Amino acid sequence: MKLQESGFQLPSFLPRLSYEKQDTLLKLLILSICAVLSFSTRLFSVLRFESVIHEFDPYFNYRTTKFLAEEGFYKFHNWFDDRAWYPLGRIIGGTIYPGLMVTSAVFYHVMNFFHITIDIRNVCVFLAPLFSSFTTLVTYHLTKELKDASAGLVAAAMISIVPGYISRSVAGSYDNEGIAIFCMLLTYALWIKSVKTGSLFWSTMCALAYFYMVSSWGGYVFLINLIPLHVLALMATGRFS
């Protein structure tokens, strides 16, 4: 009603909705735009050239993911790759963070289960842009827990186009950071949620997200440093039950 009094004419179908429904619809629209923008801004390498894996580490990750998808997790975990670290070779199960490979293999098998034919290479190429869209949604919820919904929308819009994150999650850059940023923010969001609610359910979800983060990237040290520091700060200020 306030928008109409100020001279802004709403579309004909919107006045039939309550203010709360209009607010929810607007939030969903903004978040959808942020997610699409986050995905599309990372496709320039595919649009200019083709769907390929870039650089050395991403190609090694692609090789291991292909082996996992074809041979299964047991053989993958016990695989001795004689082409890596030549001439010494590399024991794959004990020297990598398998979260990235397992995530891609799960997407690949789920899509094939629903008869969506896709090559494992294309799953690897587009995994990072897809998770960047998920990151915008997680950033919204994290900032909403810390401040409010308006701040969450601004944070989601900013992280969808921030250059530092784009450089680590472009299509074809199949590296751990492609999913690790999502895992880190998800863990932080669930940690804040569990602290504020005291719910065992959210605490369990936080623990699972933490496990996913640890299995995906060596940067999990940020989590094991910041979360204990947060606990220490809460204890020092007496803000605990």
Side-chain angles (χ1 to χ4, degrees):
M1 296 298 294
K2 292 182 179 179
L3 291 176
Q4 289 178 332
E5 291 173 0
S6 63
F8 181 80
Q9 187 66 36
L10 292 171
S12 58
F13 67 92
L14 284 181
R16 302 172 188 170
L17 303 176
S18 65
Y19 174 80
E20 290 77 13
K21 290 182 179 180
Q22 291 183 26
D23 183 65
T24 302
L25 180 63
L26 186 59
K27 290 176 183 176
L28 288 175
L29 179 61
I30 295 174
L31 284 175
S32 299
I33 293 174
C34 291
V36 172
L37 181 64
S38 179
F39 185 85
S40 59
T41 53
R42 288 158 171 82
L43 300 181
F44 58 87
S45 60
V46 173
L47 297 176
R48 286 192 62 186
F49 304 104
E50 57 181 320
S51 177
V52 294
I53 301 292
H54 301 191
E55 306 170 24
F56 298 103
D57 284 345
Y59 194 81
F60 167 77
N61 294 333
Y62 161 64
R63 284 183 56 245
T64 55
T65 303
K66 185 177 181 181
F67 186 90
L68 171 61
E70 294 175 352
E71 302 294 337
F73 185 81
Y74 182 79
K75 290 185 177 180
F76 166 78
H77 185 69
N78 295 282
W79 179 30
F80 180 79
D81 185 9
D82 56 357
R83 297 185 183 182
W85 295 352
Y86 186 84
L88 299 177
R90 180 174 182 177
I91 301 173
I92 298 301
T95 59
I96 65 169
Y97 294 94
L100 178 69
M101 297 79 182
V102 172
T103 302
S104 298
V106 167
F107 270 96
Y108 172 74
H109 287 300
V110 168
M111 296 182 75
N112 279 272
F113 176 79
F114 289 105
H115 303 287
I116 302 175
T117 304
I118 186 171
D119 187 70
I120 186 64
R121 175 178 57 83
N122 288 323
V123 174
C124 297
V125 167
F126 293 102
L127 186 73
L130 176 64
F131 267 78
S132 70
S133 296
F134 296 159
T135 303
T136 61
L137 304 180
V138 171
T139 303
Y140 166 75
H141 287 288
L142 172 61
T143 314
K144 181 182 177 182
E145 288 294 327
L146 296 173
K147 180 66 175 175
D148 54 30
S150 299
L153 292 174
V154 173
M158 292 181 67
I159 201 169
S160 66
I161 57 172
V162 65
Y165 185 32
I166 291 178
S167 67
R168 304 305 303 166
S169 57
V170 294
S173 181
Y174 182 58
D175 212 347
N176 299 76
E177 293 90 340
I179 68 170
I181 304 300
F182 163 79
C183 299
M184 181 180 296
L185 292 175
L186 177 64
T187 306
Y188 284 141
L190 292 174
W191 166 254
I192 297 299
K193 186 76 172 179
S194 61
V195 169
K196 292 177 69 175
T197 61
S199 170
L200 181 61
F201 172 78
W202 291 116
S203 301
T204 304
M205 292 296 103
C206 179
L208 293 175
Y210 177 72
F211 174 78
Y212 187 31
M213 172 64 192
V214 170
S215 68
S216 301
W217 188 36
Y220 70 88
V221 293
F222 294 115
L223 292 174
I224 62 175
N225 288 332
L226 285 178
I227 289 180
L229 285 174
H230 184 225
V231 173
L232 181 62
L234 292 177
M235 294 175 63
T237 56
R239 299 179 63 183
F240 65 95
S241 58

